[in-house]
Amino acid sequence: MTNLLELYVKLGGLVLVGFILGRKLPMTVPTLLGRFLYWVGVPISIVSFLRQSSLSAQVWIAPAIAYLAILLGAFLGWVGMKAQAHFRNTIPQAPTQASFLLTTMFGNTGFLGFPITLAMVGKEYFAWALFYDLLGSFPGSYGLGVFLAARFGGGVQNHWYTVKAILINPGLWSFGFGLVFREVAIPTVVELFLEKLAWTILALSLVLIGMRLALLNSWRSLPQASISLIIKMLLVPLILGSILPLFGLTGSTAKVIVLQMAMPPAFATLVIAEAFNLDRDLAVTALASGVILLLVTLPIWLWLF
């Protein structure tokens, strides 16, 4: 409980700082910070934390479970849409259906999942969160997510652009480099500096989340967003988390996977919604309310697992 309260103070404090700065600073600042973290900051933190993580043959199960979570979220989202159409006797428009599915499928397993995993489980098991995100959530969102958006939306359907975005993703390249670099001996002072830099970068990522939340001001889609969050943050981690022992995952490794599955919708859902003319209000509302809901659900998952 002490660790959880400390985590809430740190997470809430950094997000609140970002929220205040987001209200005061020009809108270009979050964009520039996001680009810096994407191209420089996050790759450095990946390399640093990989050096401190223990790898096992089982870690490759993490991305497979990530895809199971994505597909289960899609199936439950489809069932949820059918149920809404039946009881309300109305069929949501295609862009709204796409945004709804995206928010049930993809979680914020990077900017939010990484610091929570490190704080609650430790650096030794960070590789599980890393494999889940970089080999599961990220290619899933910009692969299957973009495919759904192109199918339902009205944006430019440039599939080569999507493939290129995945191939040149600096996080994936730093992941490969980090796997090799973790075997290279470096001075203790450099190792310590690299670790401090990585934690600073994670703090900046939380500040960025607050900045982006400061720009979200639409709540009219809350009823639909609530259904997507129940699926994404409650049903999916509960169902898959209960069968993790069948994959040989227990203890801290199971906790990491459950925490990643239980993250709120990813910012990628908003990026995709804007690019393909989907229901942006629904994506925005799901993002903001999901971060708030996480404060309630996080202790539940830590208690259950």
Side-chain angles (χ1 to χ4, degrees), residues 203-232:
L204 286 175
S205 70
L206 292 170
V207 171
L208 177 62
I209 289 176
M211 287 182 170
R212 286 177 168 170
L213 289 179
L215 303 176
L216 307 181
N217 53 16
S218 173
W219 295 92
R220 66 180 184 181
S221 299
L222 187 58
Q224 277 191 310
S226 299
I227 297 174
S228 70
L229 293 179
I230 290 173
I231 294 171
K232 172 68 189 69

Side-chain angles (χ1 to χ4, degrees), residues 64-266:
I65 296 176
Y67 289 119
L68 281 178
I70 290 171
L71 294 176
L72 179 59
F75 171 73
L76 294 177
W78 177 80
V79 172
M81 288 193 304
K82 292 297 182 182
Q84 290 183 71
H86 174 74
F87 288 110
R88 296 181 180 180
N89 200 26
T90 58
I91 300 177
Q93 295 183 347
T96 299
Q97 293 182 39
S99 288
F100 181 84
L101 287 176
L102 290 177
T103 55
T104 63
M105 295 166 65
F106 307 110
N108 193 341
T109 54
F111 284 152
L112 202 53
F114 286 173
I116 289 178
T117 298
L118 287 165
M120 302 312 301
V121 187
K123 293 177 286 188
E124 182 181 356
Y125 297 93
F126 180 68
W128 287 85
L130 200 57
F131 274 62
Y132 188 102
D133 177 72
L134 287 178
L135 299 183
S137 295
F138 178 82
S141 58
Y142 286 100
L144 180 58
V146 169
F147 172 80
L148 284 174
R151 172 69 176 80
F152 289 96
V156 179
Q157 302 180 23
N158 190 340
H159 300 295
W160 168 241
Y161 177 83
T162 304
V163 174
K164 185 171 67 173
I166 296 176
L167 292 178
I168 67 173
N169 173 34
L172 288 177
W173 286 98
S174 65
F175 175 72
F177 175 77
L179 289 176
V180 177
F181 185 64
R182 70 192 305 271
E183 305 298 334
V184 178
I186 60 176
T188 305
V189 176
V190 177
E191 186 86 61
L192 182 61
F193 172 77
L194 195 61
E195 180 181 357
K196 297 297 183 183
L197 183 59
W199 280 105
T200 302
I201 289 165
L202 283 185
L204 286 175
S205 70
L206 292 170
V207 171
L208 177 62
I209 289 176
M211 287 182 170
R212 286 177 168 170
L213 289 179
L215 303 176
L216 307 181
N217 53 16
S218 173
W219 295 92
R220 66 180 184 181
S221 299
L222 187 58
Q224 277 191 310
S226 299
I227 297 174
S228 70
L229 293 179
I230 290 173
I231 294 171
K232 172 68 189 69
M233 300 179 65
L234 294 177
L235 294 181
V236 170
L238 182 62
I239 294 172
L240 292 184
S242 63
I243 65 172
L244 287 181
L246 298 179
F247 296 92
L249 303 180
T250 57
S252 296
T253 53
K255 187 183 296 185
V256 172
I257 298 298
V258 170
L259 288 177
Q260 288 291 72
M261 287 191 291
M263 286 299 107

